[in-house]
């Protein structure tokens, strides 16, 4: 549904579904994370633990950068 809406709105869609449900891409319970002020926190909530950790964020960033690089390359053809 998200991909279809993005298409109808003529905006790019970055598919991150390959990492969903894969623990190696999640923060995980007991992970150490830091807030905007640099304060350390330990992940103790399952909902937070399921969010992307460093490996997941790297995957997402690489997907976005790949799309941006592709668009920049297309712009060079003009």
């Amino acid at each position: 549904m998200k991909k279809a809406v993005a298409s109808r709105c003529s905006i790019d869609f970055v598919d991150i579904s390959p990492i969903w449900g894969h623990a190696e891409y999640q923060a995980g319970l007991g992970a150490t994370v830091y807030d905007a002020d640099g304060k350390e926190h330990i992940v103790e909530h399952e909902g937070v633990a399921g969010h992307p950790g460093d490996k997941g964020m790297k995957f997402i960033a690489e997907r976005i950068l790949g799309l941006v690089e592709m668009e920049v390359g297309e712009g060079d053809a003009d």
Side-chain angles (χ1 to χ4, degrees), residues 11-37:
I11 58 174
D12 296 321
F13 177 81
V14 178
D15 182 14
I16 62 168
S17 64
I19 67 171
W20 294 349
H22 295 278
E24 69 267 22
Y25 292 102
Q26 297 173 341
L29 289 171
T32 302
V33 296
Y34 300 88
D35 64 23
D37 296 325

Side-chain angles (χ1 to χ4, degrees), residues 27-34 40-43 54:
L29 289 171
T32 302
V33 296
Y34 300 88
E40 184 177 293
H41 301 273
I42 303 299
V43 176
D54 290 344

